[in-house]
Amino acid sequence: MGRRILIAEDEPNIVTSLEFLMRKCEYEVCVARDGEEALEQIEAFRPHLVLLDVMLPRKSVFEVCRRVREDPRCEAIRIVMLSARGRDKEIAKGLALGADAYVTKPFSTRDLVAKVRELLPESV
Amino acid sequence: MLQGWVIAVTSFAYLGLLFAIAYYADKRADAGRSVIASPYIYSLSLAVYATAWTFYGSVGRAASDGVGFLPIYIGPTLMIALWWVVMRKILRISKENRITSLADFIAARYGKSALIGGAVTVIAVIGILPYISLQLKAVSNGFLILTQYPEIVMPAKFGAVPLMQDTALWVALILALFTIAFGTRHLDAAEHHEGMVAAIAFESLVKLLAFLAVGVYVTFVVYDGFGDVFERAAASPALAPILTPLEGVAGSYSSWVWLTILSMLAIMFLPRQFQVAVIENKDERHLSKAIWLFPLYMLAINAFVLPIAIGGRLQFPLGIVDADTYVLTIPMAGREELLALLVFIGGLSAATGMVIVETIALSTMVCNDLVMPVLLRMKSLRLTERPDLTGLLLGIRRGAIVLLLLLGYLYFRLAGEAYALVSIGLISFAAVAQFAPAALGGIFWKGGTRRGALAGLVAGFLVWSYALLLPALARSGWLPIGLLERGPWDIELLKPLALFGLQGLDQITHAMIWSMVANVGAYVAVSLAGSPSAEETRQASLFVDVFRRSGDAGGARFWRGKASAPDLRNLLVRFVGAEAADGAFAAYARARGLAWPREPLPADAGLVHHVETQLAGTIGAASARIMVAAVVKEEALSLEEVRTILGEASQVVMYSLQLEQKSRELEAATAGLRAANERLKDLDRLKDDFLSTVTHELRTPLTSIRAFTEILNQEPDIGVAQRQRFLGIVTKETERLTRLINQVLDLAKIESGRADWHESRVDMREVVADAASAMGQVFQERGIRVELKLPERVRAVSADLDRMTQVMQNLLSNAVKFCSPGDGHVEIELCEQAGWLRVDVRDNGPGVAPRDREVIFDKFHQVGDTLTEKPQGTGLGLPISRHIVEHHGGRIWVQAGAPGAHGSAGACFSFTLPLLRDAALEEAA
Amino acid sequence: MGEFETRGQRLIALCLLGCLLFNYPILAIFNLPGTVLGIPVLYAWVFGAWAALIALMAWAAERKD
């Protein structure tokens, strides 16, 4: 059965590229344009992994992470943070919020795909 | 009516009233509400200077010498002008060292020397005795004369009376009892006698009123005003000389000068003046009123002296009535019984005031500086081990008071009749003047030593005894009169009244010159010949530099040794009682933030010094030193060490002013630096924020570009359509990146002032129209209606055409972004407003929240955070526009658009530009 | 301290003025027969100058500046 991935990102062109990459890997993809929508989609779409932009409008990434981590049903969800800010401090902050990986923009598509694959092994 | 018993009862009633006043003032003081803490009371208490001598004797002197009595009051007027400098210093020193008397003051200055204290006390007692006897003489004579009413008979006519019938003896004993009741009811740690001061101030009022009453009576009732009195005097050959007396009657000018100097010193160093001026002073600031009130008092009490003297001379034949009694005998001759009684009470006031204060001051000196040091040194008495010494102290003082008055009486019996009142008083003045070199030198000259002071005092006193006391005794018949006429062993040069052949001066001037020569000479010479001990050096510094150091740290710096706090407390308890001792300890502990007695006090130099100062307040500096030394183990500081401490201190003082100045400058500089640093930090933070935002804004398009390039590179088998789409995105993102970089550079250029501006006459109508048409395609794509509201013509502005176009484009693209999709509407309006051109750009988008209306002009501030979709754009358009508009002297802002017309109110961006002046002229032409 | 020092200096100056006024030779100038408003010249001078000096001292001692 296919793995589901939620792309939470507000920059349309980045969404396009991510969507393309994830589909290529035969993941089921859903897109959220802001924090609120991301939370709704997590509830409805039940993704296995979320590609989460740090600077989402309408709900802070902190709020999204907290909600995900508090919900026992979402225990298994992996979170990969995407951010244009690459300082160590910000990476540490993201990981502390509960991210499984932190990817700095601009990213290498190959590395990103590798990371997603690593987090979503075929056999569960 | 003026029988003896009437006078006696009146006198006792008056003394009773005084006692009541004193009692009330003491009660108030105990309740902490002092009645004497007033500059007026202080000034009146200083008037204890005016004694029976002033009251009776001035008239006596004026009757023979004219103005000759005045130097005694002009001198203090001149001296008190110096009090602001001299007395303030003495007050400060005395407060800090808890000085109890004049002897204590001088002894403390010269290394707390018991010897000096004793010498000062002996000189004071011997010197003041004639003065006390003068008061006894005045009161008893006044009483005797008054009892003869209506006859006027001089007491000298009575001849010798048996001891027990001698009024003067009774006066002495009554005054002794009264003084004991006043001054030694209890032992006050601070040696304040508030009740006494209140009573003295009251007495000063009484004697002034009594004297003024008799003055007014003589001048305006007996005679017809001042003019009449002086006219009659001028008409009388016997009296005319006293109107221009200086060359003849009053002696030479030198006599006038020396009397002035003598009284200048007396107002400082009479023990009673020191008592009221220094010991009983409640507040330094009282000086500023006393400086003029006290001279005013003396002016008032002397104004009628001459008319009374002339009146007496005119009324009574010379030699029948003693001129010293005119104040009393003129009202008696006029049958004014009540006035005569009032005068007697006035005289009684003057005499009792002097006796009370003088004997209290002297008894303190006798007790603290003469008896106690001797008793404490007598090991066999084991005084240092007695648990309570307050009783002993009181006993000594009471005994001293009785003794002093009896000695005064003795002098009266031995020598009193031979002299007029004034002459007796001047002998005492000359005695206390001997304290001046040691005391004044001590507070201004650090070089004065203990030996020097002692030598000066002894030399001065010996000369005084020889030139003044000896003749007094000789004239009274107690020594062969030949001593005066031929000199001892017939040596002419040693004649007491013409020492070393100095002749032609009056007795007082002669004695003053020689005693001052001996005193000052010995003080200076011996001081300079030797060198001071460590103790003297330290005390000299404490006295001379009293204004240059603060607080009680002064004395403690010089102490080193071992002590125990309980021992020190026991010591204090024995002299001042447990309550006062605990109070003193608690105060000390409070000042150091300790909760005594729960927390123990460290028995350090500070505590030892505190206890010694407290003790000095009761038994004087010299005795306190002995007592403290008995309970602590002190290591003596060498002279070298004291000098070092002083050297450090004076250097500290010297540098402290400069340091203060420097530290103020430093503070200012620091504040400036701190502000600059804050500004730099702000700028740094802004720069950081800017960089961080710029990188973020740059990374976003880069992310897309890299992602799609990699995709295109790695996925050869994507369809052409998709490939085209992806390449399109890459191109668009690249354009976005370029635009962003251009704008960042542009902004940096404008902000740093390096931008090129090409100003020219610009017609904004054209700019607006061009910008609108340039954006035409965008409007069309989005289905936005554009409406231009341009007037026929507007005046020109001076502006950079390209920049103005840039502003318009920014505002228009901004409007496009926020217009409601579908039925978007943008309106551009141009108008002139009082010398300004105004451009409005309205849209029908969601508008700008009031809190964002200022910040949207900041760099990278996009209101997008709260919107569903992140707005496109760099976030630099508005900041750049603001810079451009402001560079042209205009203003840019945003407000809510006009609601209603096009649905949502939307936003209205406006900016203004100043119209050209000559353009306005052109218009008018 | 500034104010106190000024006050001290003014008062010292007044003391010196007093020493001058009540001394030879100025005193000798007024040691004449004759009267001023019925009062002998010398007394008028001494009391007048004395009162003036006291007034100046009051001014100097009480002045706050």
Side-chain angles (χ1 to χ4, degrees), chain B residues 97-180:
Chain B
N97 295 280
R98 297 176 66 88
I99 297 297
T100 59
S101 68
L102 178 61
D104 195 23
F105 183 83
I106 299 177
R109 161 62 180 85
Y110 297 101
K112 302 185 183 175
S113 158
L115 196 57
I116 298 252
V120 171
T121 304
V122 168
I123 295 172
V125 168
I126 297 176
I128 295 300
L129 281 181
Y131 206 167
I132 291 177
S133 83
L134 179 162
Q135 312 301 321
L136 301 178
K137 175 181 176 180
V139 173
S140 81
N141 280 2
F143 179 77
L144 290 176
I145 292 169
L146 204 55
T147 47
Q148 300 304 310
Y149 180 84
E151 300 295 312
I152 294 173
V153 186
M154 287 300 104
K157 296 267 169 15
F158 302 144
V161 284
L163 192 63
M164 294 314 286
Q165 285 171 33
D166 191 343
T167 328
L169 175 62
W170 289 108
V171 171
L173 290 176
I174 291 165
L175 284 181
L177 285 178
F178 195 58
T179 308
I180 286 171

Side-chain angles (χ1 to χ4, degrees), chain A residues 10-11 13-14 16-17 20-21 24 33-34 55 57-58 84-85 87 104-110, chain B residues 692 696 699-700 703-704 706-708 710-711 714-715 718 722 725-726 729 733 736 865 867-868 870:
Chain A
D10 62 335
E11 194 68 35
N13 290 337
I14 297 178
T16 313
S17 64
F20 178 85
L21 286 169
K24 197 90 181 68
R33 298 303 183 111
D34 59 52
M55 306 268 280
R58 290 185 68 178
R85 295 173 197 265
R87 293 198 200 149
T104 314
K105 295 179 190 172
F107 47 81
S108 144
T109 50
R110 205 176 306 185
Chain B
S692 157
H696 182 259
R699 278 168 195 264
T700 304
T703 306
S704 305
R706 178 171 180 184
F708 285 112
E710 284 187 12
I711 289 169
Q714 286 157 19
E715 313 288 341
I718 18 180
Q722 201 159 27
R725 201 178 130 226
F726 287 179
I729 292 176
E733 290 292 334
R736 179 176 166 193
D865 288 13
L867 300 172
T868 320
K870 194 166 182 170

